[in-house]
Amino acid sequence: MTDESAAPGRDFVRQRIADELAAGQHPTGVVTRFPPEPNGYLHIGHAKSICLNFSVAEEHGGRCYLRFDDTNPLKEDQDFADAIERDVRWLGFSWEDRLTHASDYYDRFYALAVQLIEAGKAYVDSLSAEEIREFRGTLTEPGKPSPYRERSVEENLDLFTRMRAGEFADGEHVLRAKIDMASPNMNLRDPTLYRIRRIAHQRTGSDWCVYPMYDFAHTVSDALEGITHSLCTLEFEDHRPLYDWILDQLGLPHRPRQIEFSRLNVAYMITSKRKLAQLIEHGDVTGWDDPRMPTLAGLRRRGYPPEALREFCRRIGVTKKDHVIEMGLLESTVRETLNETATRAMAVVNPIKVVLTNYPDGQSEMMAASNHPNRPDLGERELPFGRELWIERDDFMEDPPRKFFRLKPGGEVRLRYAYIIKCEAVIKNDAGEIVELHCSYDPDTRSGRPGAERKVKGTIHWVAAAQSVPAKVRLYDRLFSEPRPDADPQGRDFRALLNPESLQTVEHAQLEPSLADYAPGDCCQFERLGYFVADAVDSQPGAPVFNRVVTLRDSWAKAEKAALADL
Ligand code: ATP
Ligand code: MG
């Protein structure tokens, strides 16, 4: 089935399932699984697979398993498994009581391997790993049979039993499927089913010293769980004949079908756990949950709402075409979600002091400000106003171009929710740097007061100095400055393409007082600046730390489109 044959609004996977259901197949429901290996944190690519597997099951009244593919104890860890559970839950999906592990089935795998040996479909090979590779041939040359390929069933059973009993060293023998050493599909040239690994497993301890290979464990797990649709990425297309071969030999009651779809690649991002781990090892980022990481933990800490990620996955759809999604699409989805949900507040990240010389010393007043421009349900708050204020340094220019409508010497600007002010004097230090602006305010222009609405061209944000909350603000940008860091057309190593400006830390931002109450993880729009989130790790009561989630506008859009078009 091709992508094109799906009905509008339906991808080819859903179309195929709909057709099968209409034909009366799957009477006990659609069953899917998300099968991560607990060897790292989940990333945005996994989000696509999670959304697909869980949603497809949900839409058809079916079930989805979260199954840990834990067959390589060398690389796996319980901490990774815990993080994966947390991230899938955060993304908004529930496996209910269907949390399983490949290691739950080790006894079954072993028994089925014995069954294959007894049927003459598997043999113990004693070639070294290197010899096996040599004997396998190449894409253009057939492989050669191993001298051990014709061992008798009895000998194979004896050796396999002894492999399991721990009589041999790692690599001394493997169990291989007996399929076809001349097959044009390399995966069918007697693939390895079991190998010796004399190390403890995070869940089964030292019970086992032979571990199944991915293809065998994965296929059998799917069948044992009654998976109807084994959805995986395109690189497994060539493994499907092996998947089907294993099912054919074992004759298990359920026969899952594998369907492949294209991986998610997002421009400027890397989706390989191995490479992400390297960034951590080199200290390029602070960990798996660094807000610049494309991991779900990183995106969560960055302030991306889970509903935005689900919506993003919905928008990109599911096809068999390999492509790179613009990061702009991800960011605009985040922006749209936060535009609806995030409360507004004022913060000054690069402050310069304004003194209102005609505002009585010691006086202050409260200004009403709505928390959201079109959501009255989010209420209002009161902003203190006084003689000394912080404004953004960029909102003043001593020698501005003609179309500059913010503050300039002798010019007027409206302070949001407050008064119109006029710049009367620019105060400099001995080095000639501007340290303060002396302004006058027009008492007849208080916002919201009927009849007093004189108009000026510019409106800027501000924070009252007496009540402002000092904070650290982290301005994040994309982690890589090139669109395909993991497949650079010039062949540069991905770490050479890190964006040196991916993090800019502002130590002394000034926030309006309401922002002191934001709990870690709470999102907000700093008016005119972008969306921000109170950092889940570093933000403390009395010492807030805010991360920029996303800017209000896509400043990369043009560059990104051009860069992707060039590839
Ligand atoms: P990585 O290359 O990052 O190590 P992986 O495929 O080895 O990823 P697994 O833990 O085996 O990681 O993946 C679990 C599931 O997520 C698999 O079914 C895999 O196909 C899917 N998956 C992984 N990366 C992507 C991606 N970029 N887009 C869509 N699905 C993905
Ligand atoms: Mg994998």
Side-chain angles (χ1 to χ4, degrees), residues 397-409 411-412 457-458:
M397 277 185 91
E398 194 172 18
D399 192 12
R402 214 163 51 82
K403 293 241 167 188
F404 185 81
F405 296 122
R406 289 166 283 161
L407 200 59
K408 57 191 167 194
E412 285 190 318
K457 280 221 164 121

Side-chain angles (χ1 to χ4, degrees), residues 335-387:
R335 223 176 258 126
E336 282 170 40
T337 305
L338 290 176
N339 184 38
E340 290 302 310
T341 55
T343 45
R344 275 38 175 185
M346 293 202 286
V348 176
V349 297
N350 185 13
I352 184 168
K353 178 76 66 75
V354 163
V355 180
L356 301 179
T357 48
N358 62 339
Y359 195 90
D361 214 358
Q363 184 177 310
S364 79
E365 60 193 294
M366 299 303 275
M367 306 296 186
S370 70
N371 288 332
H372 196 283
N374 40 35
R375 291 218 16 213
D377 58 305
L378 294 178
E380 287 198 340
R381 67 197 186 284
E382 297 262 279
L383 293 171
F385 183 87
R387 181 179 158 89

Side-chain angles (χ1 to χ4, degrees), residues 10-74:
R10 218 184 235 173
D11 56 65
F12 78 103
V13 173
R14 287 172 165 92
Q15 182 64 50
R16 176 165 157 179
I17 293 175
D19 293 346
E20 290 170 358
L21 290 171
Q25 297 183 37
H26 317 302
T28 56
V30 168
V31 188
T32 57
R33 82 288 168 272
F34 172 63
E37 181 176 359
N39 63 348
Y41 275 54
L42 298 179
H43 53 59
I44 182 125
H46 293 114
K48 174 175 179 176
S49 179
I50 296 168
C51 288
L52 176 64
N53 279 292
F54 280 93
S55 307
V56 154
E58 206 172 276
E59 290 158 20
H60 297 94
R63 323 183 274 290
C64 181
Y65 286 81
L66 172 61
R67 182 204 308 145
F68 287 109
D69 165 34
D70 57 347
T71 49
N72 185 359
L74 209 56

